[in-house]
mmCIF file of all heavy atoms in Angstrom:
data_model
loop_
_atom_site.group_PDB
_atom_site.id
_atom_site.type_symbol
_atom_site.label_atom_id
_atom_site.label_comp_id
_atom_site.label_asym_id
_atom_site.label_seq_id
_atom_site.Cartn_x
_atom_site.Cartn_y
_atom_site.Cartn_z
ATOM 1 N N GLU A 368 1.090 -21.635 16.534
ATOM 2 C CA GLU A 368 0.925 -20.952 17.824
ATOM 3 C C GLU A 368 2.214 -20.926 18.644
ATOM 4 O O GLU A 368 2.517 -19.931 19.295
ATOM 5 C CB GLU A 368 -0.218 -21.580 18.631
ATOM 6 C CG GLU A 368 -1.600 -21.310 18.050
ATOM 7 C CD GLU A 368 -1.932 -19.828 17.920
ATOM 8 O OE1 GLU A 368 -1.576 -19.024 18.813
ATOM 9 O OE2 GLU A 368 -2.543 -19.457 16.902
ATOM 10 N N ALA A 369 2.989 -22.009 18.634
ATOM 11 C CA ALA A 369 4.247 -22.021 19.385
ATOM 12 C C ALA A 369 5.243 -21.016 18.799
ATOM 13 O O ALA A 369 5.966 -20.340 19.537
ATOM 14 C CB ALA A 369 4.843 -23.427 19.405
ATOM 15 N N THR A 370 5.263 -20.914 17.483
ATOM 16 C CA THR A 370 6.161 -19.959 16.831
ATOM 17 C C THR A 370 5.702 -18.529 17.087
ATOM 18 O O THR A 370 6.516 -17.628 17.293
ATOM 19 C CB THR A 370 6.244 -20.245 15.318
ATOM 20 O OG1 THR A 370 6.534 -21.636 15.127
ATOM 21 C CG2 THR A 370 7.319 -19.427 14.659
ATOM 22 N N ILE A 371 4.393 -18.310 17.104
ATOM 23 C CA ILE A 371 3.854 -16.992 17.426
ATOM 24 C C ILE A 371 4.248 -16.610 18.847
ATOM 25 O O ILE A 371 4.651 -15.473 19.112
ATOM 26 C CB ILE A 371 2.323 -16.964 17.237
ATOM 27 C CG1 ILE A 371 1.986 -17.058 15.745
ATOM 28 C CG2 ILE A 371 1.708 -15.714 17.867
ATOM 29 C CD1 ILE A 371 0.522 -17.308 15.445
ATOM 30 N N ALA A 372 4.185 -17.563 19.781
ATOM 31 C CA ALA A 372 4.593 -17.299 21.172
ATOM 32 C C ALA A 372 6.077 -16.929 21.218
ATOM 33 O O ALA A 372 6.476 -16.012 21.947
ATOM 34 C CB ALA A 372 4.306 -18.517 22.042
ATOM 35 N N PHE A 373 6.905 -17.629 20.441
ATOM 36 C CA PHE A 373 8.336 -17.297 20.367
ATOM 37 C C PHE A 373 8.515 -15.867 19.870
ATOM 38 O O PHE A 373 9.260 -15.077 20.450
ATOM 39 C CB PHE A 373 9.076 -18.272 19.442
ATOM 40 C CG PHE A 373 10.452 -17.802 19.073
ATOM 41 C CD1 PHE A 373 11.530 -18.074 19.903
ATOM 42 C CD2 PHE A 373 10.676 -17.060 17.917
ATOM 43 C CE1 PHE A 373 12.800 -17.613 19.585
ATOM 44 C CE2 PHE A 373 11.939 -16.599 17.590
ATOM 45 C CZ PHE A 373 13.002 -16.880 18.434
ATOM 46 N N ALA A 374 7.830 -15.535 18.779
ATOM 47 C CA ALA A 374 7.978 -14.210 18.188
ATOM 48 C C ALA A 374 7.562 -13.121 19.177
ATOM 49 O O ALA A 374 8.262 -12.118 19.343
ATOM 50 C CB ALA A 374 7.152 -14.115 16.902
ATOM 51 N N THR A 375 6.461 -13.327 19.847
ATOM 52 C CA THR A 375 5.977 -12.352 20.826
ATOM 53 C C THR A 375 6.963 -12.199 21.984
ATOM 54 O O THR A 375 7.244 -11.087 22.432
ATOM 55 C CB THR A 375 4.599 -12.778 21.356
ATOM 56 O OG1 THR A 375 3.711 -12.918 20.252
ATOM 57 C CG2 THR A 375 4.039 -11.749 22.321
ATOM 58 N N LYS A 376 7.529 -13.304 22.428
ATOM 59 C CA LYS A 376 8.490 -13.279 23.533
ATOM 60 C C LYS A 376 9.772 -12.540 23.144
ATOM 61 O O LYS A 376 10.466 -11.995 23.987
ATOM 62 C CB LYS A 376 8.825 -14.709 23.963
ATOM 63 C CG LYS A 376 9.768 -14.796 25.132
ATOM 64 C CD LYS A 376 10.029 -16.232 25.534
ATOM 65 C CE LYS A 376 11.046 -16.292 26.655
ATOM 66 N NZ LYS A 376 11.371 -17.665 27.014
ATOM 67 N N HIS A 377 10.092 -12.524 21.854
ATOM 68 C CA HIS A 377 11.330 -11.912 21.377
ATOM 69 C C HIS A 377 11.093 -10.568 20.702
ATOM 70 O O HIS A 377 11.753 -10.223 19.719
ATOM 71 C CB HIS A 377 12.085 -12.881 20.463
ATOM 72 C CG HIS A 377 12.690 -14.006 21.226
ATOM 73 N ND1 HIS A 377 11.985 -15.148 21.533
ATOM 74 C CD2 HIS A 377 13.905 -14.144 21.802
ATOM 75 C CE1 HIS A 377 12.750 -15.955 22.245
ATOM 76 N NE2 HIS A 377 13.916 -15.372 22.425
ATOM 77 N N GLU A 378 10.157 -9.809 21.235
ATOM 78 C CA GLU A 378 9.936 -8.408 20.873
ATOM 79 C C GLU A 378 9.259 -8.174 19.526
ATOM 80 O O GLU A 378 9.140 -7.036 19.102
ATOM 81 C CB GLU A 378 11.248 -7.593 20.924
ATOM 82 C CG GLU A 378 11.988 -7.695 22.235
ATOM 83 C CD GLU A 378 11.160 -7.261 23.442
ATOM 84 O OE1 GLU A 378 10.384 -6.301 23.331
ATOM 85 O OE2 GLU A 378 11.280 -7.912 24.487
ATOM 86 N N PHE A 379 8.828 -9.214 18.823
ATOM 87 C CA PHE A 379 8.071 -8.985 17.603
ATOM 88 C C PHE A 379 6.689 -8.478 17.986
ATOM 89 O O PHE A 379 6.125 -8.908 18.982
ATOM 90 C CB PHE A 379 7.921 -10.277 16.784
ATOM 91 C CG PHE A 379 9.138 -10.662 16.018
ATOM 92 C CD1 PHE A 379 10.118 -11.452 16.598
ATOM 93 C CD2 PHE A 379 9.311 -10.249 14.703
ATOM 94 C CE1 PHE A 379 11.246 -11.809 15.886
ATOM 95 C CE2 PHE A 379 10.426 -10.607 13.983
ATOM 96 C CZ PHE A 379 11.402 -11.389 14.579
ATOM 97 N N GLU A 380 6.151 -7.565 17.199
ATOM 98 C CA GLU A 380 4.793 -7.100 17.420
ATOM 99 C C GLU A 380 3.925 -7.585 16.279
ATOM 100 O O GLU A 380 4.375 -7.672 15.134
ATOM 101 C CB GLU A 380 4.741 -5.577 17.503
ATOM 102 C CG GLU A 380 5.148 -4.901 16.207
ATOM 103 C CD GLU A 380 5.047 -3.398 16.243
ATOM 104 O OE1 GLU A 380 3.966 -2.884 16.571
ATOM 105 O OE2 GLU A 380 6.056 -2.752 15.950
ATOM 106 N N GLU A 381 2.691 -7.921 16.588
ATOM 107 C CA GLU A 381 1.769 -8.298 15.527
ATOM 108 C C GLU A 381 1.375 -7.027 14.784
ATOM 109 O O GLU A 381 1.029 -6.016 15.388
ATOM 110 C CB GLU A 381 0.534 -8.986 16.087
ATOM 111 C CG GLU A 381 -0.356 -9.535 15.010
ATOM 112 C CD GLU A 381 -1.467 -10.421 15.541
ATOM 113 O OE1 GLU A 381 -1.446 -10.773 16.728
ATOM 114 O OE2 GLU A 381 -2.359 -10.752 14.739
ATOM 115 N N LEU A 382 1.444 -7.075 13.482
ATOM 116 C CA LEU A 382 1.179 -5.887 12.671
ATOM 117 C C LEU A 382 -0.326 -5.672 12.494
ATOM 118 O O LEU A 382 -1.075 -6.636 12.377
ATOM 119 C CB LEU A 382 1.861 -6.018 11.314
ATOM 120 C CG LEU A 382 3.387 -6.105 11.392
ATOM 121 C CD1 LEU A 382 3.972 -6.405 10.027
ATOM 122 C CD2 LEU A 382 3.968 -4.824 11.953
ATOM 123 N N PRO A 383 -0.738 -4.410 12.439
ATOM 124 C CA PRO A 383 -2.172 -4.106 12.339
ATOM 125 C C PRO A 383 -2.685 -4.042 10.905
ATOM 126 O O PRO A 383 -3.605 -3.307 10.605
ATOM 127 C CB PRO A 383 -2.255 -2.725 12.999
ATOM 128 C CG PRO A 383 -0.956 -2.083 12.642
ATOM 129 C CD PRO A 383 0.058 -3.211 12.680
ATOM 130 N N PHE A 384 -2.057 -4.798 10.014
ATOM 131 C CA PHE A 384 -2.491 -4.757 8.620
ATOM 132 C C PHE A 384 -2.197 -6.091 7.962
ATOM 133 O O PHE A 384 -1.448 -6.902 8.486
ATOM 134 C CB PHE A 384 -1.800 -3.624 7.850
ATOM 135 C CG PHE A 384 -0.293 -3.649 7.938
ATOM 136 C CD1 PHE A 384 0.468 -4.444 7.105
ATOM 137 C CD2 PHE A 384 0.363 -2.865 8.876
ATOM 138 C CE1 PHE A 384 1.848 -4.461 7.186
ATOM 139 C CE2 PHE A 384 1.741 -2.866 8.973
ATOM 140 C CZ PHE A 384 2.481 -3.670 8.130
ATOM 141 N N ARG A 385 -2.813 -6.297 6.816
ATOM 142 C CA ARG A 385 -2.558 -7.509 6.049
ATOM 143 C C ARG A 385 -1.308 -7.306 5.217
ATOM 144 O O ARG A 385 -1.007 -6.207 4.780
ATOM 145 C CB ARG A 385 -3.751 -7.822 5.167
ATOM 146 C CG ARG A 385 -4.967 -8.183 6.008
ATOM 147 C CD ARG A 385 -6.244 -8.237 5.227
ATOM 148 N NE ARG A 385 -6.144 -9.070 4.035
ATOM 149 C CZ ARG A 385 -7.090 -9.113 3.114
ATOM 150 N NH1 ARG A 385 -8.179 -8.388 3.227
ATOM 151 N NH2 ARG A 385 -6.944 -9.872 2.052
ATOM 152 N N MET A 386 -0.581 -8.370 5.003
ATOM 153 C CA MET A 386 0.655 -8.325 4.219
ATOM 154 C C MET A 386 0.386 -9.016 2.876
ATOM 155 O O MET A 386 -0.321 -10.016 2.826
ATOM 156 C CB MET A 386 1.763 -9.068 4.968
ATOM 157 C CG MET A 386 3.102 -9.060 4.301
ATOM 158 S SD MET A 386 3.948 -7.494 4.402
ATOM 159 C CE MET A 386 4.384 -7.436 6.112
ATOM 160 N N PHE A 387 0.946 -8.468 1.817
ATOM 161 C CA PHE A 387 0.793 -9.040 0.477
ATOM 162 C C PHE A 387 2.162 -9.247 -0.131
ATOM 163 O O PHE A 387 3.122 -8.587 0.250
ATOM 164 C CB PHE A 387 -0.029 -8.090 -0.416
ATOM 165 C CG PHE A 387 -1.398 -7.846 0.116
ATOM 166 C CD1 PHE A 387 -1.641 -6.793 0.969
ATOM 167 C CD2 PHE A 387 -2.445 -8.685 -0.225
ATOM 168 C CE1 PHE A 387 -2.913 -6.558 1.486
ATOM 169 C CE2 PHE A 387 -3.713 -8.463 0.280
ATOM 170 C CZ PHE A 387 -3.949 -7.402 1.134
ATOM 171 N N ARG A 388 2.255 -10.176 -1.083
ATOM 172 C CA ARG A 388 3.529 -10.403 -1.758
ATOM 173 C C ARG A 388 3.279 -10.625 -3.228
ATOM 174 O O ARG A 388 2.213 -11.067 -3.636
ATOM 175 C CB ARG A 388 4.242 -11.588 -1.105
ATOM 176 C CG ARG A 388 4.377 -12.788 -1.994
ATOM 177 C CD ARG A 388 5.082 -13.940 -1.388
ATOM 178 N NE ARG A 388 4.288 -15.120 -1.711
ATOM 179 C CZ ARG A 388 4.513 -16.311 -1.265
ATOM 180 N NH1 ARG A 388 5.493 -16.530 -0.440
ATOM 181 N NH2 ARG A 388 3.763 -17.302 -1.622
ATOM 182 N N VAL A 389 4.304 -10.316 -3.990
ATOM 183 C CA VAL A 389 4.308 -10.661 -5.405
ATOM 184 C C VAL A 389 5.675 -11.267 -5.694
ATOM 185 O O VAL A 389 6.700 -10.762 -5.237
ATOM 186 C CB VAL A 389 4.029 -9.435 -6.316
ATOM 187 C CG1 VAL A 389 5.104 -8.384 -6.195
ATOM 188 C CG2 VAL A 389 3.854 -9.873 -7.761
ATOM 189 N N LYS A 390 5.660 -12.388 -6.398
ATOM 190 C CA LYS A 390 6.906 -13.012 -6.813
ATOM 191 C C LYS A 390 7.253 -12.494 -8.205
ATOM 192 O O LYS A 390 6.400 -12.498 -9.097
ATOM 193 C CB LYS A 390 6.775 -14.532 -6.825
ATOM 194 C CG LYS A 390 6.620 -15.122 -5.456
ATOM 195 C CD LYS A 390 6.582 -16.636 -5.540
ATOM 196 C CE LYS A 390 6.535 -17.252 -4.167
ATOM 197 N NZ LYS A 390 6.575 -18.719 -4.254
ATOM 198 N N LEU A 391 8.487 -12.058 -8.372
ATOM 199 C CA LEU A 391 8.890 -11.525 -9.665
ATOM 200 C C LEU A 391 8.752 -12.568 -10.767
ATOM 201 O O LEU A 391 8.424 -12.235 -11.911
ATOM 202 C CB LEU A 391 10.321 -10.997 -9.600
ATOM 203 C CG LEU A 391 10.530 -9.845 -8.608
ATOM 204 C CD1 LEU A 391 11.968 -9.351 -8.686
ATOM 205 C CD2 LEU A 391 9.548 -8.715 -8.823
ATOM 206 N N SER A 392 8.955 -13.832 -10.430
ATOM 207 C CA SER A 392 8.801 -14.887 -11.446
ATOM 208 C C SER A 392 7.354 -14.966 -11.925
ATOM 209 O O SER A 392 7.105 -15.283 -13.081
ATOM 210 C CB SER A 392 9.260 -16.232 -10.882
ATOM 211 O OG SER A 392 8.486 -16.588 -9.736
ATOM 212 N N ASP A 393 6.393 -14.664 -11.048
ATOM 213 C CA ASP A 393 4.985 -14.644 -11.475
ATOM 214 C C ASP A 393 4.719 -13.482 -12.422
ATOM 215 O O ASP A 393 3.965 -13.597 -13.363
ATOM 216 C CB ASP A 393 4.058 -14.553 -10.272
ATOM 217 C CG ASP A 393 4.042 -15.825 -9.433
ATOM 218 O OD1 ASP A 393 4.483 -16.885 -9.951
ATOM 219 O OD2 ASP A 393 3.604 -15.753 -8.271
ATOM 220 N N LEU A 394 5.350 -12.338 -12.141
ATOM 221 C CA LEU A 394 5.185 -11.189 -13.029
ATOM 222 C C LEU A 394 5.749 -11.498 -14.413
ATOM 223 O O LEU A 394 5.142 -11.147 -15.426
ATOM 224 C CB LEU A 394 5.891 -9.958 -12.458
ATOM 225 C CG LEU A 394 5.331 -9.395 -11.145
ATOM 226 C CD1 LEU A 394 6.193 -8.235 -10.673
ATOM 227 C CD2 LEU A 394 3.882 -8.970 -11.313
ATOM 228 N N ALA A 395 6.900 -12.149 -14.436
ATOM 229 C CA ALA A 395 7.537 -12.456 -15.713
ATOM 230 C C ALA A 395 6.709 -13.435 -16.520
ATOM 231 O O ALA A 395 6.635 -13.334 -17.751
ATOM 232 C CB ALA A 395 8.934 -13.023 -15.466
ATOM 233 N N SER A 396 6.043 -14.386 -15.847
ATOM 234 C CA SER A 396 5.263 -15.383 -16.574
ATOM 235 C C SER A 396 3.986 -14.804 -17.164
ATOM 236 O O SER A 396 3.394 -15.378 -18.051
ATOM 237 C CB SER A 396 4.915 -16.563 -15.661
ATOM 238 O OG SER A 396 4.016 -16.153 -14.639
ATOM 239 N N LYS A 397 3.571 -13.631 -16.671
ATOM 240 C CA LYS A 397 2.352 -13.000 -17.191
ATOM 241 C C LYS A 397 2.661 -11.965 -18.260
ATOM 242 O O LYS A 397 1.764 -11.388 -18.845
ATOM 243 C CB LYS A 397 1.572 -12.360 -16.039
ATOM 244 C CG LYS A 397 1.035 -13.394 -15.098
ATOM 245 C CD LYS A 397 0.357 -12.766 -13.908
ATOM 246 C CE LYS A 397 -0.063 -13.893 -12.966
ATOM 247 N NZ LYS A 397 -0.435 -13.424 -11.663
#
Side-chain angles (χ1 to χ4, degrees):
E368 290 302 321
T370 309
I371 291 169
F373 166 86
T375 303
K376 182 178 176 183
H377 288 86
E378 307 302 322
F379 283 88
E380 64 177 306
E381 187 170 350
L382 297 173
F384 54 83
R385 294 168 51 189
M386 182 74 71
F387 300 91
R388 113 179 135 186
V389 63
K390 292 183 176 183
L391 298 183
S392 60
D393 290 343
L394 295 177
S396 67
K397 293 176 184 166

